[in-house]
Amino acid sequence: MEKDHSFVPSAGHQDWGIIDLHLHSSCSDGTEAPGAVVESVAAAGVKTFALSDHDTTEGWAEAAEAAVATGMNFIPAMELSTSLEWSSIHLLAYLFDPDDSQLLHTTNKIRSARADRIMKMTELISADYPITVEEVMDAAGPDGSVGRPHIADALIRAGVVRDRNEAFETILHPRGGYYLKLYAPTPLEGVQQIVAAGGVAILAHPAARAVSLPEKEIRQLVAAGLSGFELDHRENEKEKLHVFQNLAKEFDLIVTGSSDYHGAGKPNRIAENQTSPHMLERILKQASGSAPVLN
Ligand code: AMP
Ligand code: ZN
Ligand code: FE
Ligand code: FE
């Protein structure tokens, strides 16, 4: 049963326009500040967007303000890092309480693990390539999330690689000789904590190459309150999608589509995949942790 909640305007009353629910700013590994992301979103003709930086809500206030100024609808979100053995699993969390103490404890722990890991990886890499720990660690701001993309940017500035993708295929690759694993909670802990914080949990790009989740685990996540899957995403591999499509049917889950925009950091273009108004309204109906900014 979906909880009914006042965040959802009565059916047909809100103009959602084009909806893109997965974008990153420079509070994590996007290349544009939150306000600039909102400008790009507006220029792309999108009316409803979510800012979903990795493991931080730092960009929410600036994005909300820019949304009000430009007459757009803003859905507060985050992409929570979790891991299962060697697979890195991303959970999109919508409309949770940003002050929830358990989730705050988790995201603080992940960001500090990110900082340790990226500092150590950068130290190792700097023995062989002309990059510095300082330039990498300063990249995401004090409450932001540093990640491998910031090492990639330093390698680009040093002229070692052409773009982030080349860095990920070589020096930053798990078998590139410098890779360290990132601490993160399990997907089950992630789902439980998002739900406990009044949020809605959607499995991000579940059929991407790097994601490996046995069906048994996926069913366990659904039983724990996972609300749906991001089925339309450029990294999803067609042949890996059917299990998610079938489960979505079996449990009447929410399915979304989005761009995963990172500014100049990735080729993904705003609104290249979209979410339907009906699915967004289902997300709003299930959420109780924080309110969207509606215009
Ligand atoms: P990290 O969380 O530090 O391990 O870095 C993973 C992040 O890097 C993800 O959020 C991706 O968006 C980004 N990323 C992964 N592969 C690539 C790529 N080939 N090009 C650009 N960004 C990437
Ligand atoms: Zn990212
Ligand atoms: Fe992701
Ligand atoms: Fe993402």
Side-chain angles (χ1 to χ4, degrees), residues 29 54 90 114 117-118 147-149 164-165 168 182 262 265-266:
D29 55 358
H54 300 282
H90 289 174
R114 282 180 166 282
R117 170 204 194 212
I118 292 305
R148 283 181 291 160
R164 283 185 179 182
N165 190 51
F168 270 87
L182 172 67
H262 281 70
K266 276 192 167 188

Side-chain angles (χ1 to χ4, degrees), residues 133-156:
V133 169
E134 292 70 31
E135 67 175 318
V136 173
M137 299 310 291
D138 287 346
D143 289 315
S145 283
V146 280
R148 283 181 291 160
H150 301 110
I151 305 180
D153 292 345
L155 290 166
I156 296 168

Side-chain angles (χ1 to χ4, degrees), residues 26-109:
S26 53
C27 293
S28 64
D29 55 358
T31 58
E32 299 168 350
V37 171
V38 178
E39 282 175 32
S40 300
V41 166
V46 169
K47 162 108 195 211
T48 302
F49 71 99
L51 185 70
S52 56
D53 276 310
H54 300 282
D55 311 307
T56 182
T57 61
E58 201 201 356
W60 284 14
E62 188 179 321
E65 199 177 310
V68 170
T70 50
M72 285 193 277
N73 302 313
F74 166 61
I75 312 295
M78 177 173 78
E79 190 174 9
L80 183 70
S81 303
T82 73
S83 71
L84 195 64
E85 286 151 24
W86 277 87
S87 182
S88 163
I89 314 283
H90 289 174
L91 292 172
L92 287 161
Y94 294 102
L95 298 153
F96 56 94
D97 175 4
D99 299 318
D100 178 84
S101 61
Q102 183 180 230
L103 195 53
L104 264 181
H105 177 80
T106 296
T107 50
N108 286 337
K109 198 165 148 188

